Every structure is written in structure tokens, then in C-alpha cells.
Amino acid sequence: MTVTPYEAAEEIINKQSKIVVSPCICRKEQKMVGKGCDKPEEVCLAFGAGAYYYEQNGLGRSIDKAEALNILKAGVDAGLVLQPGNQQKPLNICMCCGCCCGILKNMKTLDKPAQMVHTNYYAQVDEDLCTACEACVERCQMDAITVDEAALVNLDRCIGCGLCVTDCPTEAITLGQKAEDNRYLPPKNVFETYMNIAQERGLM
């Protein structure tokens, strides 16, 4: 699983020439069984060949960059975690909530969800700016933040999504970048992604 902050997702969108948006299958599924949430549903973005496939099969509608960026901002404002495809040139960006997304729900039950995520960032707090308002606590999908006199980030749980940053009224929380030797470089393409998975599972 790959997680990215808002600015990185914005950069991905700005590089695209073909974009299609479709409903989130996870929230759609949960609503069908009487569960789910009121988070935005039409937020899944597909790019390039994936976008053409979705459009040709009636799975989504074509949009321009401006609308895609508006959808991205609405998703972040609603507290959705941005998950791009695990390639250097992602074919999609999913916007996920902790109540409907099977991946996030299961990760939240782990002691150290940060170990299960490919991310190059982590949240850090300037205690002098923090007012202990707890806005970040409500935004965090992984229960990574507690507040006493100031917010405290549990790095074993922080997945570097940046949602806490976007809602901090005093800008006390920022995203730090991991040391260069600890950063993740995604596979070049989908083929390499699945080849890596096969190798990790001992299938080749």
C-alpha cells in the first residue's frame, strides 16, 4: 500500500493528459449493506490507459485537471487518505476512509501500521505552536496522535498521509521526510509491481 500527501497527489494529477473519475467501490459496497459513511463517493481517479478503460466500460466519467484538483481538495477536506497506485507513474489515486476501506480498517488494528505502508513522510509537531486543540486527533485514521500539553505522534502508527497537517489551525504539525536511505522508490510500472509481489511470495 502506498500513501501520499496532498502536494504529491496534486503533482501526479498535473502530469496527466487523460483523467476519469469514478465512485469509490468501497463506500458504494458498504452503503449497499446499510453501512458506510457520508464521505464523498465520486473520488476515485484513473489516469492514462486505466482512464480510457474506465470510460469505455461506463465505469466513470472524463474530467479535466481543474475538476480533478477540486475533487482532490474535497477528498482531503473530508479526511480521506490518498493512495496512489504503486508505480512511479501511477495509473490511479484512491481516496480512502478508515470506516469503509478494507485496507485501512485492517491496518488500524495493527500495533505498527506504519510498517505496512510505503510512505516517505511522517508527521512532526512544533510544541511551541501547538494549542492542544485535538483537531489532529479527529483527522488521524490510524490513531497515531495523542494530546496532553501538546500533540504527540506515535511514529509506529503514523502513515504519513498528512491529514493532520491540513487541519491544524496553528500550523503546528508538518510533514517531515524520511532519511534518504529509508525512502521508498516505487516500481517503474505495473508489470514490475506484480513481478516484485511474485518474487516476495516465492512464486518465481
Side-chain angles (χ1 to χ4, degrees):
M1 171 182 165
T2 306
V3 170
T4 197
Y6 175 82
E7 291 79 9
E10 189 176 38
E11 185 177 343
I12 292 171
I13 290 173
N14 281 324
K15 292 179 179 178
Q16 306 306 319
S17 57
K18 178 66 176 178
I19 308 173
V20 163
V21 63
S22 61
C24 169
I25 189 63
C26 297
R27 282 189 283 283
K28 191 173 182 179
E29 175 190 49
Q30 289 297 305
K31 286 183 179 179
M32 289 174 67
V33 296
K35 298 179 181 179
C37 63
D38 59 356
K39 304 288 187 185
E41 189 170 312
E42 193 186 41
V43 292
C44 289
L45 302 176
F47 313 123
Y52 283 109
Y53 176 85
Y54 268 62
E55 184 178 42
Q56 291 168 5
N57 289 276
L59 301 173
R61 61 183 181 87
S62 184
I63 59 175
D64 60 17
K65 290 180 186 178
E67 184 172 359
L69 291 171
N70 286 337
I71 290 171
L72 179 69
K73 186 176 186 309
V76 171
D77 288 346
L80 301 180
V81 176
L82 307 179
Q83 297 187 50
N86 189 25
Q87 307 91 34
Q88 292 179 27
K89 294 182 179 180
L91 294 176
N92 69 291
I93 294 178
C94 289
M95 302 189 203
C96 307
C97 59
C99 53
C100 297
C101 173
I103 295 175
L104 290 181
K105 281 196 295 186
N106 287 320
M107 281 179 48
K108 192 172 183 177
T109 66
L110 302 175
D111 290 333
K112 299 180 179 182
Q115 293 182 355
M116 306 303 295
V117 175
H118 291 311
T119 179
N120 291 326
Y121 303 91
Y122 60 92
Q124 53 189 5
V125 180
D126 184 332
E127 295 184 3
D128 292 333
L129 294 177
C130 181
T131 61
C133 70
E134 299 190 1
C136 53
V137 175
E138 296 178 14
R139 294 279 279 181
C140 183
Q141 301 282 355
M142 290 294 116
D143 295 336
I145 304 177
T146 54
V147 174
D148 189 4
E149 294 182 1
L152 177 66
V153 180
N154 181 345
L155 296 182
D156 285 332
R157 300 198 62 82
C158 176
I159 59 175
C161 67
L163 288 178
C164 54
V165 176
T166 60
D167 211 40
C168 180
T170 61
E171 299 183 356
I173 303 184
T174 57
L175 283 183
Q177 193 167 34
K178 292 181 179 179
E180 189 170 353
D181 60 355
N182 199 29
R183 292 177 197 166
Y184 174 70
L185 179 64
K188 291 181 180 179
N189 48 47
V190 176
F191 177 75
E192 188 172 307
T193 297
Y194 285 105
M195 289 291 287
N196 290 345
I197 292 173
Q199 289 175 347
E200 289 171 2
R201 293 182 178 179
L203 300 177
M204 59 178 300

Short mmCIF file of all heavy atoms in Angstrom, two decimals, residues 43-80:
data_model
loop_
_atom_site.label_atom_id
_atom_site.label_comp_id
_atom_site.label_asym_id
_atom_site.label_seq_id
_atom_site.Cartn_x
_atom_site.Cartn_y
_atom_site.Cartn_z
N VAL A 43 -14.80 9.91 -6.08
CA VAL A 43 -13.47 10.45 -5.82
C VAL A 43 -12.32 9.61 -6.37
O VAL A 43 -11.16 10.00 -6.25
CB VAL A 43 -13.24 10.63 -4.30
CG1 VAL A 43 -14.12 11.73 -3.73
CG2 VAL A 43 -13.46 9.33 -3.56
N CYS A 44 -12.60 8.45 -6.94
CA CYS A 44 -11.53 7.59 -7.43
C CYS A 44 -11.06 8.07 -8.80
O CYS A 44 -11.85 8.13 -9.75
CB CYS A 44 -12.00 6.14 -7.52
SG CYS A 44 -12.20 5.38 -5.89
N LEU A 45 -9.78 8.40 -8.92
CA LEU A 45 -9.24 8.96 -10.15
C LEU A 45 -8.40 7.92 -10.89
O LEU A 45 -7.56 7.25 -10.29
CB LEU A 45 -8.37 10.18 -9.84
CG LEU A 45 -9.06 11.33 -9.09
CD1 LEU A 45 -8.05 12.42 -8.76
CD2 LEU A 45 -10.21 11.90 -9.91
N ALA A 46 -8.65 7.79 -12.19
CA ALA A 46 -7.86 6.89 -13.05
C ALA A 46 -7.18 7.72 -14.12
O ALA A 46 -7.74 8.72 -14.60
CB ALA A 46 -8.75 5.83 -13.68
N PHE A 47 -5.98 7.31 -14.52
CA PHE A 47 -5.19 8.07 -15.49
C PHE A 47 -4.78 7.19 -16.67
O PHE A 47 -4.70 5.97 -16.56
CB PHE A 47 -3.94 8.64 -14.82
CG PHE A 47 -4.18 9.31 -13.50
CD1 PHE A 47 -3.52 8.90 -12.35
CD2 PHE A 47 -5.09 10.36 -13.40
CE1 PHE A 47 -3.75 9.51 -11.13
CE2 PHE A 47 -5.33 10.98 -12.19
CZ PHE A 47 -4.66 10.56 -11.05
N GLY A 48 -4.48 7.85 -17.79
CA GLY A 48 -3.91 7.15 -18.94
C GLY A 48 -4.76 6.00 -19.43
O GLY A 48 -5.98 6.12 -19.60
N ALA A 49 -4.11 4.84 -19.66
CA ALA A 49 -4.81 3.67 -20.19
C ALA A 49 -5.93 3.23 -19.26
O ALA A 49 -7.01 2.81 -19.73
CB ALA A 49 -3.81 2.53 -20.37
N GLY A 50 -5.71 3.33 -17.95
CA GLY A 50 -6.75 2.98 -16.99
C GLY A 50 -7.97 3.87 -17.13
O GLY A 50 -9.11 3.41 -17.03
N ALA A 51 -7.73 5.15 -17.39
CA ALA A 51 -8.83 6.10 -17.56
C ALA A 51 -9.66 5.76 -18.81
O ALA A 51 -10.89 5.79 -18.77
CB ALA A 51 -8.28 7.52 -17.66
N TYR A 52 -8.97 5.43 -19.91
CA TYR A 52 -9.68 5.05 -21.13
C TYR A 52 -10.52 3.79 -20.90
O TYR A 52 -11.66 3.70 -21.38
CB TYR A 52 -8.69 4.83 -22.28
CG TYR A 52 -8.18 6.11 -22.89
CD1 TYR A 52 -6.86 6.52 -22.68
CD2 TYR A 52 -9.02 6.92 -23.66
CE1 TYR A 52 -6.39 7.70 -23.24
CE2 TYR A 52 -8.55 8.11 -24.22
CZ TYR A 52 -7.23 8.48 -24.00
OH TYR A 52 -6.77 9.65 -24.56
N TYR A 53 -9.98 2.83 -20.17
CA TYR A 53 -10.71 1.59 -19.89
C TYR A 53 -11.98 1.89 -19.08
O TYR A 53 -13.07 1.39 -19.41
CB TYR A 53 -9.83 0.61 -19.12
CG TYR A 53 -10.54 -0.65 -18.72
CD1 TYR A 53 -10.63 -1.73 -19.61
CD2 TYR A 53 -11.14 -0.77 -17.46
CE1 TYR A 53 -11.30 -2.89 -19.25
CE2 TYR A 53 -11.82 -1.94 -17.11
CZ TYR A 53 -11.89 -2.99 -18.00
OH TYR A 53 -12.57 -4.13 -17.65
N TYR A 54 -11.84 2.69 -18.05
CA TYR A 54 -12.99 3.03 -17.22
C TYR A 54 -14.06 3.75 -18.03
O TYR A 54 -15.25 3.47 -17.92
CB TYR A 54 -12.54 3.91 -16.04
CG TYR A 54 -12.21 3.13 -14.79
CD1 TYR A 54 -11.16 2.21 -14.78
CD2 TYR A 54 -12.92 3.32 -13.62
CE1 TYR A 54 -10.86 1.48 -13.65
CE2 TYR A 54 -12.63 2.60 -12.47
CZ TYR A 54 -11.60 1.68 -12.50
OH TYR A 54 -11.30 0.96 -11.37
N GLU A 55 -13.64 4.68 -18.86
CA GLU A 55 -14.58 5.46 -19.67
C GLU A 55 -15.30 4.57 -20.68
O GLU A 55 -16.53 4.63 -20.82
CB GLU A 55 -13.84 6.58 -20.39
CG GLU A 55 -14.76 7.51 -21.18
CD GLU A 55 -13.98 8.64 -21.84
OE1 GLU A 55 -12.88 8.36 -22.38
OE2 GLU A 55 -14.46 9.77 -21.82
N GLN A 56 -14.56 3.73 -21.39
CA GLN A 56 -15.13 2.88 -22.43
C GLN A 56 -16.09 1.83 -21.87
O GLN A 56 -16.98 1.36 -22.57
CB GLN A 56 -14.01 2.22 -23.23
CG GLN A 56 -13.22 3.20 -24.09
CD GLN A 56 -11.94 2.60 -24.66
OE1 GLN A 56 -11.68 1.41 -24.50
NE2 GLN A 56 -11.14 3.43 -25.32
N ASN A 57 -15.90 1.48 -20.61
CA ASN A 57 -16.76 0.47 -19.99
C ASN A 57 -17.82 1.07 -19.07
O ASN A 57 -18.46 0.34 -18.30
CB ASN A 57 -15.90 -0.54 -19.23
CG ASN A 57 -15.12 -1.45 -20.15
OD1 ASN A 57 -15.64 -2.46 -20.63
ND2 ASN A 57 -13.88 -1.09 -20.45
N GLY A 58 -18.00 2.38 -19.16
CA GLY A 58 -19.05 3.03 -18.39
C GLY A 58 -18.84 3.02 -16.89
O GLY A 58 -19.80 3.08 -16.12
N LEU A 59 -17.59 2.97 -16.47
CA LEU A 59 -17.29 2.90 -15.04
C LEU A 59 -17.01 4.25 -14.42
O LEU A 59 -16.88 4.37 -13.20
CB LEU A 59 -16.08 1.98 -14.81
CG LEU A 59 -16.24 0.53 -15.31
CD1 LEU A 59 -14.93 -0.22 -15.18
CD2 LEU A 59 -17.35 -0.17 -14.54
N GLY A 60 -16.86 5.28 -15.26
CA GLY A 60 -16.57 6.62 -14.76
C GLY A 60 -16.76 7.65 -15.85
O GLY A 60 -17.13 7.31 -16.97
N ARG A 61 -16.51 8.90 -15.51
CA ARG A 61 -16.68 9.97 -16.49
C ARG A 61 -15.38 10.76 -16.64
O ARG A 61 -14.62 10.93 -15.69
CB ARG A 61 -17.83 10.91 -16.10
CG ARG A 61 -17.64 11.61 -14.77
CD ARG A 61 -18.85 12.47 -14.39
NE ARG A 61 -18.63 13.14 -13.12
CZ ARG A 61 -18.02 14.31 -12.99
NH1 ARG A 61 -17.57 14.96 -14.06
NH2 ARG A 61 -17.86 14.86 -11.80
N SER A 62 -15.16 11.25 -17.84
CA SER A 62 -13.94 12.00 -18.13
C SER A 62 -14.01 13.40 -17.53
O SER A 62 -15.06 14.06 -17.60
CB SER A 62 -13.74 12.09 -19.65
OG SER A 62 -12.52 12.74 -19.96
N ILE A 63 -12.93 13.86 -16.93
CA ILE A 63 -12.87 15.19 -16.34
C ILE A 63 -11.54 15.84 -16.71
O ILE A 63 -10.61 15.18 -17.16
CB ILE A 63 -13.02 15.14 -14.80
CG1 ILE A 63 -11.90 14.29 -14.18
CG2 ILE A 63 -14.39 14.61 -14.40
CD1 ILE A 63 -11.88 14.30 -12.66
N ASP A 64 -11.47 17.17 -16.52
CA ASP A 64 -10.21 17.86 -16.79
C ASP A 64 -9.40 18.00 -15.49
O ASP A 64 -9.85 17.62 -14.41
CB ASP A 64 -10.46 19.22 -17.45
CG ASP A 64 -11.32 20.15 -16.58
OD1 ASP A 64 -11.46 19.90 -15.37
OD2 ASP A 64 -11.85 21.13 -17.14
N LYS A 65 -8.20 18.55 -15.60
CA LYS A 65 -7.33 18.67 -14.43
C LYS A 65 -7.94 19.55 -13.34
O LYS A 65 -7.82 19.25 -12.15
CB LYS A 65 -5.97 19.25 -14.84
CG LYS A 65 -5.11 18.32 -15.67
CD LYS A 65 -3.79 18.99 -16.02
CE LYS A 65 -2.97 18.12 -16.96
NZ LYS A 65 -1.70 18.78 -17.36
N ALA A 66 -8.62 20.61 -13.76
CA ALA A 66 -9.20 21.53 -12.77
C ALA A 66 -10.21 20.81 -11.90
O ALA A 66 -10.22 20.97 -10.67
CB ALA A 66 -9.84 22.73 -13.48
N GLU A 67 -11.08 20.01 -12.52
CA GLU A 67 -12.08 19.29 -11.73
C GLU A 67 -11.41 18.22 -10.87
O GLU A 67 -11.81 17.99 -9.73
CB GLU A 67 -13.14 18.65 -12.62
CG GLU A 67 -14.24 17.98 -11.81
CD GLU A 67 -15.42 17.50 -12.64
OE1 GLU A 67 -15.41 17.70 -13.88
OE2 GLU A 67 -16.36 16.94 -12.04
N ALA A 68 -10.39 17.56 -11.43
CA ALA A 68 -9.67 16.54 -10.66
C ALA A 68 -9.04 17.15 -9.41
O ALA A 68 -9.06 16.56 -8.32
CB ALA A 68 -8.61 15.88 -11.53
N LEU A 69 -8.46 18.35 -9.55
CA LEU A 69 -7.84 19.02 -8.40
C LEU A 69 -8.89 19.44 -7.38
O LEU A 69 -8.64 19.38 -6.16
CB LEU A 69 -7.03 20.23 -8.87
CG LEU A 69 -5.76 19.89 -9.67
CD1 LEU A 69 -5.15 21.14 -10.29
CD2 LEU A 69 -4.73 19.17 -8.80
N ASN A 70 -10.07 19.85 -7.85
CA ASN A 70 -11.16 20.19 -6.94
C ASN A 70 -11.63 18.96 -6.17
O ASN A 70 -11.92 19.02 -4.97
CB ASN A 70 -12.33 20.80 -7.71
CG ASN A 70 -12.06 22.22 -8.17
OD1 ASN A 70 -11.23 22.92 -7.59
ND2 ASN A 70 -12.74 22.67 -9.20
N ILE A 71 -11.71 17.81 -6.87
CA ILE A 71 -12.11 16.56 -6.22
C ILE A 71 -11.06 16.16 -5.19
O ILE A 71 -11.38 15.71 -4.09
CB ILE A 71 -12.29 15.45 -7.28
CG1 ILE A 71 -13.55 15.74 -8.11
CG2 ILE A 71 -12.40 14.08 -6.62
CD1 ILE A 71 -13.71 14.83 -9.32
N LEU A 72 -9.79 16.32 -5.55
CA LEU A 72 -8.70 16.01 -4.62
C LEU A 72 -8.81 16.84 -3.35
O LEU A 72 -8.72 16.31 -2.24
CB LEU A 72 -7.36 16.28 -5.29
CG LEU A 72 -6.10 16.03 -4.44
CD1 LEU A 72 -5.93 14.53 -4.18
CD2 LEU A 72 -4.86 16.59 -5.12
N LYS A 73 -9.04 18.13 -3.50
CA LYS A 73 -9.15 19.01 -2.34
C LYS A 73 -10.36 18.63 -1.49
O LYS A 73 -10.29 18.61 -0.25
CB LYS A 73 -9.25 20.47 -2.77
CG LYS A 73 -9.22 21.44 -1.58
CD LYS A 73 -9.23 22.88 -2.02
CE LYS A 73 -9.05 23.82 -0.83
NZ LYS A 73 -9.97 23.54 0.28
N ALA A 74 -11.48 18.33 -2.15
CA ALA A 74 -12.68 17.94 -1.42
C ALA A 74 -12.44 16.65 -0.63
O ALA A 74 -12.92 16.50 0.50
CB ALA A 74 -13.85 17.75 -2.38
N GLY A 75 -11.69 15.73 -1.23
CA GLY A 75 -11.38 14.48 -0.55
C GLY A 75 -10.53 14.70 0.69
O GLY A 75 -10.80 14.13 1.75
N VAL A 76 -9.52 15.53 0.56
CA VAL A 76 -8.65 15.84 1.71
C VAL A 76 -9.43 16.60 2.78
O VAL A 76 -9.30 16.31 3.97
CB VAL A 76 -7.42 16.64 1.25
CG1 VAL A 76 -6.63 17.14 2.45
CG2 VAL A 76 -6.52 15.76 0.38
N ASP A 77 -10.25 17.56 2.35
CA ASP A 77 -11.07 18.30 3.32
C ASP A 77 -11.99 17.37 4.10
O ASP A 77 -12.30 17.61 5.28
CB ASP A 77 -11.90 19.36 2.60
CG ASP A 77 -11.07 20.53 2.10
OD1 ASP A 77 -9.91 20.67 2.53
OD2 ASP A 77 -11.59 21.31 1.27
N ALA A 78 -12.43 16.28 3.44
CA ALA A 78 -13.33 15.32 4.09
C ALA A 78 -12.57 14.29 4.93
O ALA A 78 -13.18 13.43 5.56
CB ALA A 78 -14.17 14.60 3.03
N GLY A 79 -11.23 14.38 4.92
CA GLY A 79 -10.44 13.48 5.75
C GLY A 79 -10.13 12.14 5.10
O GLY A 79 -9.98 11.13 5.79
N LEU A 80 -10.02 12.12 3.76
CA LEU A 80 -9.73 10.88 3.05
C LEU A 80 -8.22 10.72 2.84
O LEU A 80 -7.52 11.68 2.54
CB LEU A 80 -10.45 10.86 1.69
CG LEU A 80 -11.97 10.97 1.75
CD1 LEU A 80 -12.56 10.93 0.34
CD2 LEU A 80 -12.57 9.83 2.60
#
